[in-house]
Amino acid sequence: MSDLHDEGMRVRRKVLGDAHVDRAEARKTDFDAPFQDFITRSAWGMLWTRPDFTPRERSLVTIALLAGLGNDGELALHLRATRNTGASREDVREALMHVAVYAGVPRANHALKIAKEIFAEMDAQDEAGS
């Protein structure tokens, strides 16, 4: 494996968690393996490792972009990852307020609905684990 892949996998695991990455790796096939390698090297190994944004800042930018583009599945994934990035729920709310102005109220409204559902799931998991 390349250094970019190894570093990307390290960051991917740190942000998304071992359980998610292990599930994704287990579902990987010969068909999508090149794509998985590409996103691990480029998104996680090259972009998420850059020093000018903190993981919290990068998380918020990612959430805003995913919400603005209507990428609901990836949005949910990155909302869950806030546990690991240091982005607070208040941070997410403010990022989604920006989405409302710059990408449209319907996109922000839908993203807020998803965020409320994800945060409720996270709370329930926390309570069950306590």
Side-chain angles (χ1 to χ4, degrees):
M1 289 192 184
S2 72
D3 290 341
L4 276 179
H5 187 276
D6 291 346
E7 184 64 7
M9 191 59 76
R10 183 191 68 75
V11 173
R12 186 177 174 202
R13 287 183 177 283
K14 184 176 179 182
V15 172
L16 301 179
D18 286 330
H20 171 80
V21 175
D22 289 345
R23 282 190 306 273
E25 287 293 298
R27 290 189 306 262
K28 184 169 63 176
T29 66
D30 289 342
F31 179 73
D32 69 333
F35 177 75
Q36 292 297 321
D37 180 61
F38 170 74
I39 61 172
T40 299
R41 285 183 295 108
S42 61
W44 299 105
M46 292 175 65
L47 185 62
W48 275 78
T49 59
R50 292 178 56 80
D52 296 329
F53 272 7
T54 65
R56 175 185 160 271
E57 292 165 331
R58 207 165 293 285
S59 178
L60 292 169
V61 168
T62 302
I63 287 168
L65 286 165
L66 292 170
L69 293 168
N71 293 320
D72 299 350
E74 289 288 315
L75 174 61
L77 174 67
H78 281 274
L79 288 165
R80 287 183 189 96
T82 58
R83 273 195 168 130
N84 303 323
T85 64
S88 70
R89 292 178 187 194
E90 293 78 14
D91 292 334
V92 170
R93 181 188 60 226
E94 292 304 312
L96 295 179
M97 295 291 289
H98 270 64
V99 169
V101 171
Y102 293 101
V105 169
R107 292 284 171 133
N109 187 47
H110 187 64
L112 283 161
K113 176 182 177 275
I114 293 169
K116 287 169 40 177
E117 291 169 0
I118 296 300
F119 292 152
E121 287 173 17
M122 291 167 64
D123 290 344
Q125 289 169 352
D126 290 345
E127 288 178 19
S130 299

